[in-house]
Amino acid sequence: ETGVTQSPTHLIKTRGQQVTLRCSSQSGHNTVSWYQQALGQGPQFIFQYYREEENGRGNFPPRFSGLQFPNYSSELNVNALELDDSALYLCASRSSGGGSYNEQFFGPGTRLTVL
Amino acid sequence: GDSVTQMEGPVTLSEEAFLTINCTYTATGYPSLFWYVQYPGEGLQLLLKATKADDKGSNKGFEATYRKETTSFHLEKGSVQVSDSAVYFCALSDSGSARQLTFGSGTQLTVLP
């Protein structure tokens, strides 16, 4: 069973640029969430996708957007990058339905540096 | 909104010492509670969970009890090992459809031989 994978591992961009991060969910998982983890902080929820639709969003501006594909993989897009966007971006997948709790499995993350 | 307050670190212990990391939360409704661990260069791993009041989560010698009356979920281990060195995050999940996780700020644990 393949776990959650993310690409790229590291990325350096300059302020104002756009970036796309990718995530492949764990086999059998249909729900993907994205989190931003600033240095020395806990992860913060950006949004979640289920059946290719966004079904939950945290306190992030519209320049953070995403997609989920039919194979349940996902992309996170950030436009007009700002210095404060420098962080580790974590993807998590889980299955939905059946039971009251479905564990989220996290990928290793993409480290984004904005100069 | 929901929030998690976690004991500030870093925490440095000698091998075989007793560990407590405090965690308290604020939430509406009846959240599920979690402890995650993050080893250097790796993603988050679920360490243990509790989904209702008085539940005790346990794994790898770590334990935490869901205390609704004190809104707490403190992490404990009787005898830490060098391999336990990592960052520990307390988190809660709401009962809504998104079940997003709200994390504390993390506690860096270093265990010395």
Side-chain angles (χ1 to χ4, degrees), chain B residues 3 7 10 14 18 30 33-35 44 50 52-53 55-56 69 75 84 92 94 103 107 112:
Chain B
S3 67
M7 169 179 161
S14 298
F18 184 85
Y30 301 95
L33 302 175
F34 309 88
W35 278 98
L44 294 166
K52 62 183 187 298
D55 268 2
K56 177 186 281 189
E69 64 276 13
L75 181 69
D84 294 326
L92 67 81
D94 63 21
F103 288 87
T107 302
L112 302 175

Side-chain angles (χ1 to χ4, degrees), chain A residues 33 54 67:
Chain A
S33 300
E54 183 182 297
L67 286 173

